Amino acid sequence: MLWTNDRCKELEALRSLLCEVSTINRGSGCIERIQKCIELADRLQQFDLDSGRESFWYFLHAQAIADRQAAAIEQR
């Protein structure tokens, strides 16, 4: 199963990052929002060397490639 609990948590972190970025210029707390965005972005790009677990960004990238390849095969 590709969408494990930890991957779903990372997907939620991506949603949170997008929400934070979209609200940076909508009021006070700009510096805190930028710091939170940096932390979330770092977490989503982090590769776990101990477990060999790829980053969420790489996971999404690989899934997109696999989906495109599968769609190309289906169209043939």
Side-chain angles (χ1 to χ4, degrees), residues 6-23:
D6 57 339
R7 289 300 185 198
C8 289
K9 287 179 186 176
E10 289 169 329
L11 184 60
E12 179 59 25
L14 179 60
R15 186 203 61 78
S16 180
L17 175 63
L18 295 174
C19 289
E20 288 295 326
V21 170
S22 71
T23 61

Side-chain angles (χ1 to χ4, degrees), residues 47-64:
F47 183 87
D48 187 345
L49 294 175
D50 293 331
S51 70
R53 187 171 177 273
E54 63 194 13
S55 70
F56 189 61
W57 166 248
Y58 185 80
F59 169 79
L60 285 179
H61 184 260
Q63 281 301 123

Side-chain angles (χ1 to χ4, degrees), residues 24-39:
I24 285 174
N25 288 323
R26 292 188 193 156
S28 63
C30 183
I31 299 299
E32 292 83 6
R33 285 192 175 118
I34 291 171
Q35 182 60 40
K36 184 174 180 181
C37 290
I38 291 168
E39 291 167 4

